[in-house]
Amino acid sequence: MAGFLLSKSNNKYRIIINCELVDTLIEELTPFAKFFSVTFLEKTNYVRASVESEPFSKSIFLKNNTFALSVEIEDDKKDITNTISLKEWSAANMILGNFYLSKNQAGKFRPLEINYDIQRVSFDKGCFRGQEIIARMKYLGVDRRRFCTIISKSEIKDEKHLKIIGESIKLKDSFICLSLIKKDFLEVLKEDASILII
């Protein structure tokens, strides 16, 4: 229903989320909040996002062997230099296999279709809505598709063996997109020297 980041400070949790998904998230969580004496307060803060190289800070939420992504919540706007564009930030997230849902995508994907089963679902903790289906797919299902990041010299289009997830980004001379690819088609794509699959 929504992708978000959770930050804990002074025994309070703050959620970093696309503003157009706030109502969706609160609506989904409200039935459970009363059991834990939780209330929601919508606030607008500044989020400072960074692409880091080692040594990584404590605020990273996703990384690979080359770089990491981090966010910090600020109450006041800071004078920030050496910034990157939203397009570059989106591309860094895509390279790490991180997909942010938009309002028109909420409720349209199963977690395993958008990498959430790996990045956002815990199979060791309590119950959650949809747990049975998600767990069944992980432990008993046959997954014939793989969630991948594609970096290509030419724009990638939807086709029979490949479904684009979200939007493709053109950055410098390359196109970057997230996709679901049929596993038997992966090897065919990997033979193309102009395409990198992560």
Side-chain angles (χ1 to χ4, degrees):
M1 297 304 296
F4 56 89
L5 299 175
L6 198 59
S7 171
K8 182 182 178 186
S9 176
N10 299 325
N11 210 27
K12 289 185 178 180
Y13 291 90
R14 297 198 280 184
I15 296 171
I16 302 169
I17 187 169
N18 180 335
C19 60
E20 61 179 31
L21 289 170
V22 170
D23 293 338
T24 302
L25 180 68
I26 291 174
E27 185 180 316
E28 284 293 310
L29 294 180
T30 295
F32 308 103
K34 60 186 175 186
F35 298 115
F36 302 98
S37 301
V38 171
T39 56
F40 300 104
L41 172 64
E42 188 174 342
K43 279 187 82 177
T44 301
N45 293 98
Y46 297 95
V47 177
R48 184 174 57 206
S50 305
V51 177
E52 301 183 12
S53 56
E54 289 196 74
F56 300 136
S57 69
K58 292 181 180 177
S59 59
I60 66 166
F61 67 91
L62 199 58
K63 68 177 181 175
N64 63 13
N65 294 330
T66 309
F67 69 95
L69 303 178
S70 68
V71 293
E72 293 179 20
I73 300 171
E74 304 287 353
D75 293 324
D76 298 312
K77 190 172 185 179
K78 305 271 182 171
D79 183 22
I80 301 170
T81 58
N82 300 324
T83 61
I84 61 173
S85 68
L86 179 59
K87 186 187 278 192
E88 290 167 326
W89 171 254
S90 298
N93 275 273
M94 293 170 93
I95 289 169
L96 292 180
N98 190 30
F99 176 59
Y100 287 112
L101 290 160
S102 64
K103 187 171 185 176
N104 65 349
Q105 295 161 335
K108 292 189 176 179
F109 299 100
R110 294 184 199 97
L112 64 91
E113 292 177 306
I114 53 177
N115 220 24
Y116 279 25
D117 59 323
I118 295 169
Q119 293 180 345
R120 290 177 169 83
V121 174
S122 171
F123 292 93
D124 303 323
K125 296 178 182 171
C127 299
F128 53 88
R129 191 179 293 179
Q131 176 187 9
E132 295 83 4
I133 295 168
I134 293 166
R136 192 178 307 127
M137 288 301 297
K138 176 176 175 66
Y139 296 114
L140 301 174
V142 177
D143 188 9
R144 292 183 172 84
R145 293 180 179 261
R146 186 172 145 214
F147 179 89
C148 300
T149 302
I150 300 175
I151 302 173
S152 173
K153 293 296 178 192
S154 57
E155 190 169 6
I156 303 292
K157 305 279 187 188
D158 274 344
E159 56 175 87
K160 187 170 129 181
H161 306 289
L162 185 148
K163 177 182 175 184
I164 303 298
I165 304 292
E167 296 180 10
S168 179
I169 292 177
K170 184 168 194 266
L171 193 62
K172 297 185 180 177
D173 296 331
S174 296
F175 291 88
I176 304 170
C177 67
L178 298 172
S179 62
L180 269 177
I181 304 173
K182 285 190 176 178
K183 287 185 176 176
D184 55 357
F185 187 59
L186 264 176
E187 296 308 315
V188 175
L189 278 181
K190 286 179 180 177
E191 291 173 5
D192 188 335
S194 67
I195 294 176
L196 174 64
I197 298 177
I198 303 170

